[in-house]
Amino acid sequence: MAKLHVVTTINGEPVEFLCDATQTILDVLRDQLGLTGSKEGCGSGDCGACSIMLDDRLICGCLMLAAEADGRCIETIEGMAEGDQLHPLQKKFIAVAALQCGICTPGFLIASKALLARNPDPSETEVRYWLAGNLCRCTGYDKIVRAVMEVAADMRETAR
């Protein structure tokens, strides 16, 4: 089977790769490009562990074919920090212990960032609804929701 040539942008950098027609973008990110932050939990788009941004839209990487990335912009958890400076959501997740085993954390962080980009003043109900596509077996969600709410408040305060 012939490989497909894909030219894309990942975390602000131009990237080219070859892939099979049936490979997911998650498989290419992890196995070919070494971007292992996004995880495969279910392979069916139900758990959110593989969440990435595609052209500023939150998607499950396990459901997208890698060939569909041609000409598109992707952001993964590896692109969330700026150099050594963690994103405020990453800092807050650490500060309030909104993570345990860490499998779901990259997906929650990407989804939370996407939410705050769309709605900088979400209610707790909106945060819970937005993050409903991300599953966690360890934390019970309350610390995750609290972290997102606190970062939203901090970002609004900083914007004033």
Side-chain angles (χ1 to χ4, degrees):
M1 179 184 296
K3 296 277 187 176
L4 301 171
H5 179 241
V6 176
V7 179
T8 188
T9 301
I10 300 176
N11 298 325
E13 299 293 325
V15 174
E16 294 185 44
F17 59 83
L18 297 175
C19 65
D20 293 329
T22 59
Q23 276 185 289
T24 66
I25 191 63
L26 179 63
D27 289 338
V28 169
L29 289 169
R30 291 182 56 78
D31 300 338
Q32 288 179 232
L33 303 177
L35 299 172
T36 58
S38 301
K39 310 292 189 235
E40 182 168 347
C42 67
S44 60
D46 294 317
C47 75
C50 63
S51 295
I52 60 173
M53 296 297 291
L54 177 71
D55 295 335
D56 296 322
R57 184 171 168 230
L58 184 65
I59 68 155
C60 291
C62 71
L63 297 180
M64 178 184 154
L65 294 175
E68 294 177 286
D70 196 45
R72 315 286 290 277
C73 293
I74 294 171
E75 182 182 343
T76 69
I77 189 65
E78 287 87 356
M80 198 163 170
E82 301 218 8
D84 291 339
Q85 187 64 33
L86 294 178
H87 186 278
L89 282 163
Q90 292 171 307
K91 290 179 186 177
K92 188 63 76 172
F93 269 55
I94 293 167
V96 302
L99 52 105
Q100 288 183 24
C101 80
I103 296 295
C104 67
T105 304
F108 270 106
L109 286 166
I110 289 289
S112 298
K113 184 179 177 195
L115 166 62
L116 296 183
R118 285 178 174 245
N119 181 1
D121 191 10
S123 67
E124 179 178 336
T125 299
E126 289 169 319
V127 172
R128 288 183 182 278
Y129 180 79
W130 187 270
L131 298 180
N134 295 78
L135 302 179
C136 175
R137 295 178 184 205
C138 304
T139 66
Y141 302 98
D142 288 332
K143 291 180 182 180
I144 295 169
V145 172
R146 188 170 102 216
V148 175
M149 297 293 294
E150 288 181 16
V151 169
D154 293 347
M155 291 172 76
R156 287 192 309 275
E157 186 64 32
T158 303
R160 290 182 186 170

